[in-house]
Amino acid sequence: MRIVPLAAESLGVRSLATFVEAGGIKILIDPGVALGPKRYGLPPAKAEIGALQQMRRKLQGYARRSDAVVISHYHYDHYTPFFEGLYESSSESYAREIYERKLLFIKHPRENINFSQKKRAWVFLKNVEPIAEKIEFADGKSFDLGGVELEFSPAVPHGSEGSRLGFVVMTLIDDGSKRVIHASDIQLLNKKAVEWIIEKVPDFLITGGPPAYLGKRAEGSWQAGIKNLNEIIRETGAEIILDHHIIRDKNYPRFFDELEERPKTFAGYLKVEDRPLEAYRRELHKIEGGDKEEVPFKV
């Protein structure tokens, strides 16, 4: 099995896009990249826009070679919508390249979904149904792809129980020798998701951490995320890739230090430096204006 982290906050964009090749089947999970339109009251810096363009090209290349595409939920950093937009992976022609003649496994567009995602799912389906090879609503189901098993969790909260952000599905890929779980946007904050991961005993887990960058709105999430991920580490012994929301917080290295086993970011797994651009947006804008600012990565 080959696992290729494609795009995430440690690579400069909002995403958790991942490519997995198992038993000759090529699977693209969460094919979306985006930028936060406002952070610290500022629009994306030039370095962020450059990273977005680079990650779009990378995602497009892996989409061309993929047989199947998985969409865990309908946030723009997790799927490619069919519209023009500056800070999302978008435009009709770009979207067609991602989905055309692909087998799609997608979060159910009408069940266990909040209003905003239901609207996005309706628009998405209207555009993708004429071009996809086949569309499966994945929630809680299993599929055999020629000896490679895809199993999807029931819909679990996007973050804490009762989250207004809706629900997501997690993906398990099992080729008979390795079990990989892609646990998108669970934020390590809800019991159902943690219990499902432990029950499946993955060898490899790709997940996002809590949104500690939101300050008081995420109060308690840091401690809950540490507790829950440590439980997963103890119970499964899985190798962990941790990225996404937690990397929007400049203090994320301390979060990693508090875990019983230190995970890798997407960048770390790829053996390149972390570039948490959004977390340093203020500094990047000052650098672009000619000021001297220290950031822990090359600009």
Side-chain angles (χ1 to χ4, degrees), residues 85-118:
L86 179 58
Y87 302 139
E88 297 83 27
S89 51
S90 56
S91 88
E92 183 175 351
S93 61
Y94 181 86
R96 287 185 71 91
E97 284 212 51
I98 303 294
Y99 305 118
E100 195 164 28
R101 296 188 298 277
K102 300 293 193 297
L103 175 56
L104 303 186
F105 299 94
I106 65 174
K107 167 76 188 69
H108 201 293
R110 295 181 297 276
E111 297 176 3
N112 293 308
I113 190 167
N114 64 359
F115 182 67
S116 65
Q117 288 197 58
K118 185 181 287 188

Side-chain angles (χ1 to χ4, degrees), residues 172-174 178-181 194-205 232-239:
L172 167 65
I173 302 172
D174 185 349
K178 181 177 279 190
R179 294 165 65 83
V180 175
I181 288 178
V194 172
E195 286 179 346
W196 192 84
I197 292 168
I198 291 171
E199 177 190 336
K200 300 303 175 183
V201 198
D203 302 294
F204 201 97
L205 172 65
I232 290 169
I233 290 167
R234 286 193 302 270
E235 294 294 330
T236 69
E239 183 178 353

Side-chain angles (χ1 to χ4, degrees), residues 14-120:
R14 291 187 172 190
S15 183
L16 205 65
T18 305
F19 176 85
V20 178
E21 184 173 358
I25 306 296
K26 300 176 180 66
I27 304 164
L28 178 59
I29 306 174
D30 278 8
V33 292
L35 300 178
K38 289 289 181 183
R39 184 72 194 277
Y40 311 118
L42 296 168
K46 290 178 182 177
E48 293 177 84
I49 294 170
L52 180 72
Q53 293 167 343
Q54 180 186 359
M55 293 299 126
R56 281 179 176 171
R57 290 191 295 269
K58 185 178 181 182
L59 185 65
Q60 194 173 37
Y62 276 90
R64 290 191 188 112
R65 68 187 78 169
S66 297
D67 305 301
V69 175
V70 174
I71 295 174
S72 66
H73 64 297
Y74 303 96
H75 284 164
Y76 294 140
D77 49 346
H78 293 273
Y79 84 108
T80 293
F82 284 81
F83 64 82
E84 295 289 346
L86 179 58
Y87 302 139
E88 297 83 27
S89 51
S90 56
S91 88
E92 183 175 351
S93 61
Y94 181 86
R96 287 185 71 91
E97 284 212 51
I98 303 294
Y99 305 118
E100 195 164 28
R101 296 188 298 277
K102 300 293 193 297
L103 175 56
L104 303 186
F105 299 94
I106 65 174
K107 167 76 188 69
H108 201 293
R110 295 181 297 276
E111 297 176 3
N112 293 308
I113 190 167
N114 64 359
F115 182 67
S116 65
Q117 288 197 58
K118 185 181 287 188
K119 287 197 301 181
R120 292 176 183 182

